[in-house]
Amino acid sequence: MFILTKIADLVQIAPAQFEKHSRVAIENNINAKYANRVIQKIGLCICMYDLLWASEGLIGHGTGLVNVNVEFRLIVFRPFKGETLLGKISSATPDGLNIRTDFFEEIFVSYKELPEGCEFDHNEQSWVWVVDDQRMYYDKNEMVRLQVVDEEWHDQVPDSTSEEAVEKAKKISPYSVRGTMMKEGLGCCLWWE
């Protein structure tokens, strides 16, 4: 679920941060730039893990910013295919279930990936698994177990400079996970205790 990724970058330290130890200033700048951001084909960055290397700082002409080349490792959320995750149901639609964890909300289980015998209850706005005339509901905020089947990446660069294209690009999540609940032990955790 979590991996370490090695990255090299240029960090700029502002004069207001000169009273801090250089390592602390570098770490703060890296976390400000990367934490809670998605890097395409890498994953959702959580925070800096460690600093591997840093060059001598060079003061930029006219700005007073100190430029430091750094190499560091980040903790990144990127579950692998086949991994089992725990999450809570945030909403249900006729297309499937939207699931979230404490820090990630872009998990989707399509209706095609729900167990055989599932149907959508429009009155309750939830999915129901009917087994031997017993109705088991996928209720909102219920803890569920799912298996990762795929991931989707969307580049958020707009097609054109029009406001409509920019807004459309902002609405699409840069990284999402697709899951399944078709195997034994998957689905609402209460059912399998």
Side-chain angles (χ1 to χ4, degrees):
M1 180 179 328
F2 296 100
I3 59 173
L4 286 177
T5 300
K6 187 172 159 182
I7 295 180
D9 199 359
L10 176 75
V11 172
Q12 294 185 319
I13 301 171
Q17 297 177 323
F18 286 170
E19 78 261 0
K20 296 179 185 174
H21 190 274
S22 60
R23 185 176 185 86
V24 173
I26 290 170
E27 183 175 341
N28 289 347
N29 279 291
I30 290 170
N31 281 328
K33 184 175 183 177
Y34 288 98
N36 204 24
R37 302 272 196 299
V38 172
I39 299 176
Q40 289 292 311
K41 306 295 182 184
I42 292 178
L44 173 66
C45 300
I46 305 297
C47 66
M48 186 180 105
Y49 179 72
D50 62 356
L51 182 64
L52 301 174
W53 174 82
S55 70
E56 292 292 321
L58 299 173
I59 299 174
H61 178 69
T63 63
L65 296 174
V66 174
N67 298 309
V68 182
N69 288 309
V70 294
E71 201 171 275
F72 56 94
R73 291 189 295 178
L74 285 172
I75 298 173
V76 176
F77 172 75
R78 185 177 182 184
F80 57 87
K81 291 179 184 173
E83 183 174 1
T84 302
L85 298 177
L86 284 174
K88 289 186 177 183
I89 297 172
S90 56
S91 65
T93 66
D95 296 328
L97 295 169
N98 292 304
I99 314 259
R100 62 179 159 68
T101 64
D102 291 335
F103 57 91
F104 189 71
E105 296 184 0
E106 299 299 328
I107 303 171
F108 183 73
V109 177
S110 170
Y111 70 92
K112 297 174 186 174
E113 295 294 336
L114 293 174
E116 197 173 310
C118 280
E119 55 189 44
F120 187 72
D121 186 335
H122 289 280
N123 294 331
E124 296 286 332
Q125 287 296 303
S126 68
W127 281 90
V128 182
W129 186 22
V130 181
V131 180
D132 299 328
D133 296 327
Q134 186 177 7
R135 297 174 66 80
M136 297 188 291
Y137 286 84
Y138 289 91
D139 291 324
K140 186 176 181 178
N141 295 321
E142 189 75 43
M143 185 65 78
V144 293
R145 193 174 291 116
L146 64 119
Q147 191 172 48
V148 176
V149 290
D150 200 10
E151 55 189 4
E152 288 185 8
W153 300 95
H154 299 283
D155 193 3
Q156 289 191 303
V157 177
D159 298 337
S160 67
T161 56
S162 71
E163 284 186 35
E164 185 179 306
V166 171
E167 287 303 313
K168 183 181 175 188
K170 285 181 182 177
K171 289 180 183 177
I172 298 172
S173 175
Y175 176 56
S176 59
V177 173
R178 301 286 175 211
T180 185
M181 292 184 186
M182 292 186 80
K183 296 182 180 175
E184 282 185 24
L186 302 179
C188 291
C189 295
L190 290 173
W191 301 344
W192 303 105
E193 291 179 353

